[in-house]
Amino acid sequence: MRIKYFPLPVLLSVFLAACVGYGAAPAPARALEGGLVDGSGMSLYVFDRDVAHSGKSVCNGPCATNWPPLMVMEGEGGGADYSVVTRDDGSRQWAFKGKPLYRWIKDQKPGDRSGDGVNAVWHLARP
């Protein structure tokens, strides 16, 4: 009886094809109607006083009470247009194209965008 062996490249190709996308973390936000929203559909905002790609958020203390940061959960990491900034307290926050992302305390339900334009320094995060 003669046993045939598949060539190694064929086996590796099948294995790699099965692994495509495996372990890929979902993005922390998605585009919806021209803005970014979190996993619950709540609008996300950027703050003009944050410096893009600085790795920091300047919205801390009472500011962060009104503008809760979009926090990074354990085991999550950046990728593509998303990165992670370290807050003053050492916690980690998501950023989009280098700008930290926030929610607005007065938005009550998915689709609310009442934070856009607040004090002329808060804006809807746009893809």
Side-chain angles (χ1 to χ4, degrees):
M1 176 179 227
R2 190 171 180 179
I3 299 175
K4 291 185 178 183
Y5 293 97
F6 284 113
L8 184 58
V10 172
L11 288 174
L12 287 175
S13 296
V14 171
F15 175 74
L16 290 174
C19 293
V20 170
Y22 178 77
R30 63 185 166 85
L32 181 66
E33 298 175 0
L36 291 180
V37 297
D38 67 9
S40 299
M42 299 302 289
S43 297
L44 295 171
Y45 300 90
V46 293
F47 186 34
D48 284 348
R49 294 182 184 145
D50 283 326
V51 177
H53 305 287
S54 69
K56 295 185 151 265
S57 164
V58 297
C59 179
N60 293 285
C63 177
T65 300
N66 291 322
W67 298 92
L70 181 61
M71 302 305 292
V72 177
M73 297 297 139
E74 187 66 35
E76 291 181 325
D81 288 328
Y82 295 94
S83 58
V84 176
V85 299
T86 302
R87 300 185 49 74
D88 284 355
D89 64 3
S91 61
R92 298 172 353 126
Q93 176 181 0
W94 283 112
F96 180 71
K97 295 184 179 179
K99 293 282 281 189
L101 294 170
Y102 306 87
R103 295 179 190 95
W104 171 227
I105 196 168
K106 292 186 179 180
D107 283 351
Q108 298 298 306
K109 65 186 181 313
D112 286 352
R113 293 181 169 190
S114 65
D116 195 22
V118 170
N119 295 330
V121 294
W122 289 96
H123 308 283
L124 186 66
R126 298 191 184 274

